Amino acid sequence: MCGIVGYIGENDALPILIDGLKRLEYRGYDSSGIAVCDGDKVFSVKAVGKIAELEKKINEKNPLNPPFEGGQKITLLPKEGEGGFNIGIAHTRWATHGAPTEINAHPHHDCTGKIWLVHNGIIENYQQLKNHLLEKGHKFISETDTEVIAHLLEDLYDDNITETLKKVLKLVKGTYGLVAFHNDEPNKILVAKEGSPLVIGLGENETIIASDVSAILRYTKQVIYLDDGEIAEIKGDGIKIYDANDSEVDKKVNEIEWDMTQAEKQGYPHFMLKEIFEQPETIINSMRGRYIVEEGKAKLGGLDNIADKIRDIEKIIIVACGTAKHAGLVGEYMLEEYAGIPTEIEYASEFRYRQPVIDKKTAVLVLSQSGETADTLAALKEAKGKGVLTLGIVNVVGSSIARETDAGVYNHIGPEIAVASTKAFTSQLTILALLTVLLGRQRNMSLVTGKRIIEELQVLPEKIKKILDTNENIKKISEKYFSMKNFAYLGRKYNNPVAQEGALKLKEISYIHAEGFAGGEMKHGPIAMIDENFPSFFISPRDSVYEKNISNMQEIKARNGKIIAIATEGDEKIKETANDVIYIPKSLEMLTPILASIPLQLFAYHVAVLKGLDVDKPRNLAKSVTVE
Ligand code: AGP
């Protein structure tokens, strides 16, 4: 998730652009940049790291009149021509294609240095477009998908950048929030939206465009939200907005009620709740461009360079920590049942110290949202030292773990800010399911099975939305139990890891003791803890072990244990045993963990809020455990 800011107006663009970038830093940054029209030239600076690094570099580039740290303002003159409005664009990057370097930072430009743009999203067909442009002699500087658009605009430019942009976007497949300008057409800035957010702020004699309102609020509360397929041509004296059929549209001007802090959280009270509610979108982004339905196949571009090696894999060891380890345990069940590959899952902190038996046909798969977890990185290096193939599923592009693995798959879900992992978990499960299809279809998985899994993945976002719509019911249930001191979480097969994950969510943000384990283990000891003050969560969807779960629940009920059940929509029988029921839609057994984990995330969230705790930053925890 990158942050974009655009400006056209009578004031200095640069300070407004930098201020906007700082408001968007929470969207993730590994690098940033600006480009501002300065007469016939374009003044551009880019830097790796925080926005403060960019400010430093801008100062260095203008030692005579540093615009920051109390120095003089830079006055970048607008190009001679109509109106004399200042124009500029800016970007904080959350890398998806190409490592986080200064060269890959936005803004990007064409060969002439006259067309500049910033982009948030993923251009799926960028390689094919880039090859075509390379053949036509275009010179690329970066590894990004974004730069392709700048060269396409140059290639098709017909003295009207607005009409050219309309033509270019018909060739592009993927998602974009885009702001661009051509320095030969002064006083005009272009905006386009498809799948990534963009807002236009209408100020006094100025217009500010941004990824979200937090970068605009300081200047105006009057905003226009662009819809997918729309292109805006913004001049100093007015805006024209065109829809996907190139018809001019009138857009409603909205008044923003949020304050700045609310804006960063998109109106949610906590990042954790925002990230829970982002999951329909992040599941889509995790899958985007990664399957061929009619062939029942998955295609994970990050594994292309080792395609022959993954065919030879005869065993997989999954290594991770915390939530990622729970995702790995679901992956173990998936890979064994649907790809027929013997799979083990191990805590990274254990793997690195025990003496694992690994042969050359074994692949080690590491899961990590941050890509910086010390135990996981050390375990990965241990595996590499034994010469085995190492794969990764990582969210942060260019992170240590991402760079250390032989190949891998990025989550593409934007930064996960809340310490308690939610959207990363369901994204990891989604990618593990795609990996299972990819490996399974190279082995004994039929086209029909592969297709069925992919089709079910495609409808998961809608099913997640249905669960999110029951948030109020889940909140009511949390109000009944939030004062409890202990909780058991139970599930079988694919939902055993979900039970462990649900327990982790509760304990790490509400500090209540919670234990997650396989339902069949109750009678081997834990049931001794159960009484009326020791409630249990039972993940008990209609699946192959449903009847077993019901008998476990009856054992608990017989000891006055209270039960909250996660059940499949329409299951009335479970009400005979459970005190409270949270329903989830029916799905394939292997994908049910993606659905079942949502109510557990919400339950933990509401309990922590009811206890008045710091949901996003729980005590004693860090978002990325970079120490052993
Ligand atoms: C999950 O809610 C915790 N914050 C923690 O267990 C986390 O999953 C673990 O530290 C692994 O982090 P990683 O995915 O960034 O490697």
Side-chain angles (χ1 to χ4, degrees), residues 321-324 367-371 373 419-421 428 504-505 508 625:
C321 299
T323 289
L367 306 182
S368 178
Q369 187 287 129
S370 64
T373 300
V419 165
S421 186
Q428 286 160 350
L504 174 62
K505 285 288 94 54
E508 69 176 325
V625 184

Side-chain angles (χ1 to χ4, degrees), residues 488-546:
Y489 284 71
L490 300 111
R492 286 176 177 256
K493 252 187 102 179
Y494 284 98
N495 291 303
N496 161 23
V498 179
Q500 295 178 45
E501 172 59 13
L504 174 62
K505 285 288 94 54
L506 187 70
K507 59 186 147 187
E508 69 176 325
I509 63 173
S510 72
Y511 316 151
I512 294 173
H513 167 246
E515 201 175 331
F517 42 83
E521 276 302 294
M522 272 304 280
K523 52 191 173 301
H524 298 288
I527 199 160
M529 301 187 290
I530 299 300
D531 61 24
E532 63 280 6
N533 298 313
F534 203 123
S536 301
F537 247 110
F538 235 105
I539 300 115
S540 181
R542 282 267 188 206
D543 60 13
S544 59
V545 286
Y546 175 75

Side-chain angles (χ1 to χ4, degrees), residues 49 100 311 364 396:
R311 277 182 189 284
V364 169
V396 180

Side-chain angles (χ1 to χ4, degrees), residues 441-508:
R441 294 282 285 125
Q442 288 175 345
R443 294 162 177 81
N444 304 319
M445 183 188 286
S446 68
L447 183 150
V448 171
T449 303
K451 197 160 179 286
R452 190 154 47 87
I453 294 169
I454 287 167
E455 286 170 340
E456 182 58 23
L457 279 168
Q458 287 180 300
V459 299
L460 277 187
E462 282 313 308
K463 293 185 175 181
I464 292 174
K465 280 180 189 158
K466 281 187 79 175
I467 300 169
L468 295 171
D469 288 346
T470 68
N471 181 36
E472 278 313 306
N473 172 46
I474 296 167
K475 185 177 174 188
K476 282 196 177 60
I477 293 173
S478 66
E479 286 160 356
K480 283 173 69 174
Y481 294 91
F482 81 99
S483 57
M484 289 290 144
K485 299 286 179 274
N486 299 286
F487 259 93
Y489 284 71
L490 300 111
R492 286 176 177 256
K493 252 187 102 179
Y494 284 98
N495 291 303
N496 161 23
V498 179
Q500 295 178 45
E501 172 59 13
L504 174 62
K505 285 288 94 54
L506 187 70
K507 59 186 147 187
E508 69 176 325

Side-chain angles (χ1 to χ4, degrees), residues 342-627:
T343 305
E344 278 175 32
I345 171 80
E346 179 60 279
Y347 283 117
S349 54
E350 289 297 304
F351 178 84
R352 57 184 298 204
Y353 293 115
R354 59 168 239 208
Q355 188 54 43
V357 177
I358 306 182
D359 66 24
K360 293 287 176 269
K361 295 283 187 187
T362 298
V364 169
L365 168 63
V366 293
L367 306 182
S368 178
Q369 187 287 129
S370 64
E372 298 300 343
T373 300
D375 284 327
T376 308
L377 182 57
L380 170 60
K381 287 178 175 169
E382 179 67 17
K384 284 197 79 166
K386 296 180 186 299
V388 297
L389 180 65
T390 57
L391 311 176
I393 297 177
V394 180
N395 190 33
V396 180
V397 174
S399 57
S400 307
I401 289 173
R403 279 180 284 115
E404 192 67 28
T405 53
D406 295 312
V409 184
Y410 284 123
N411 294 82
H412 289 329
I413 60 171
E416 189 176 62
I417 309 288
V419 165
S421 186
T422 51
K423 63 178 184 174
F425 178 67
T426 50
S427 171
Q428 286 160 350
L429 297 183
T430 303
I431 293 172
L432 283 164
L434 289 170
L435 179 64
T436 299
V437 171
L438 187 151
L439 296 173
R441 294 282 285 125
Q442 288 175 345
R443 294 162 177 81
N444 304 319
M445 183 188 286
S446 68
L447 183 150
V448 171
T449 303
K451 197 160 179 286
R452 190 154 47 87
I453 294 169
I454 287 167
E455 286 170 340
E456 182 58 23
L457 279 168
Q458 287 180 300
V459 299
L460 277 187
E462 282 313 308
K463 293 185 175 181
I464 292 174
K465 280 180 189 158
K466 281 187 79 175
I467 300 169
L468 295 171
D469 288 346
T470 68
N471 181 36
E472 278 313 306
N473 172 46
I474 296 167
K475 185 177 174 188
K476 282 196 177 60
I477 293 173
S478 66
E479 286 160 356
K480 283 173 69 174
Y481 294 91
F482 81 99
S483 57
M484 289 290 144
K485 299 286 179 274
N486 299 286
F487 259 93
Y489 284 71
L490 300 111
R492 286 176 177 256
K493 252 187 102 179
Y494 284 98
N495 291 303
N496 161 23
V498 179
Q500 295 178 45
E501 172 59 13
L504 174 62
K505 285 288 94 54
L506 187 70
K507 59 186 147 187
E508 69 176 325
I509 63 173
S510 72
Y511 316 151
I512 294 173
H513 167 246
E515 201 175 331
F517 42 83
E521 276 302 294
M522 272 304 280
K523 52 191 173 301
H524 298 288
I527 199 160
M529 301 187 290
I530 299 300
D531 61 24
E532 63 280 6
N533 298 313
F534 203 123
S536 301
F537 247 110
F538 235 105
I539 300 115
S540 181
R542 282 267 188 206
D543 60 13
S544 59
V545 286
Y546 175 75
E547 292 307 331
K548 297 285 181 203
N549 278 332
I550 294 291
S551 3
N552 284 155
M553 291 164 69
Q554 284 158 351
E555 289 163 25
I556 290 176
K557 191 174 176 64
R559 289 157 180 83
N560 298 323
K562 301 255 183 323
I563 297 171
I564 308 167
I566 308 281
T568 304
E569 278 171 354
D571 179 353
E572 292 301 314
K573 179 184 172 193
I574 205 154
K575 287 179 177 170
E576 295 161 15
T577 322
N579 300 79
D580 296 276
V581 182
I582 300 169
Y583 285 106
I584 61 175
K586 179 89 183 127
S587 180
L588 291 179
E589 187 164 333
M590 70 176 275
L591 300 179
T592 302
I594 295 172
L595 301 178
S597 56
I598 309 283
L600 303 182
Q601 295 166 356
L602 287 168
F603 179 81
Y605 169 79
H606 289 304
V607 168
V609 169
L610 286 164
K611 293 187 70 177
L613 299 171
D614 184 344
V615 173
D616 286 334
K617 297 188 185 68
R619 69 184 182 194
N620 311 337
L621 294 178
K623 183 57 189 170
S624 177
V625 184
T626 55
V627 293

Side-chain angles (χ1 to χ4, degrees), residues 39-40 78-82 186-187:
D40 287 332
K79 187 173 172 74
E80 286 312 307
E82 322 130 50
N187 311 318

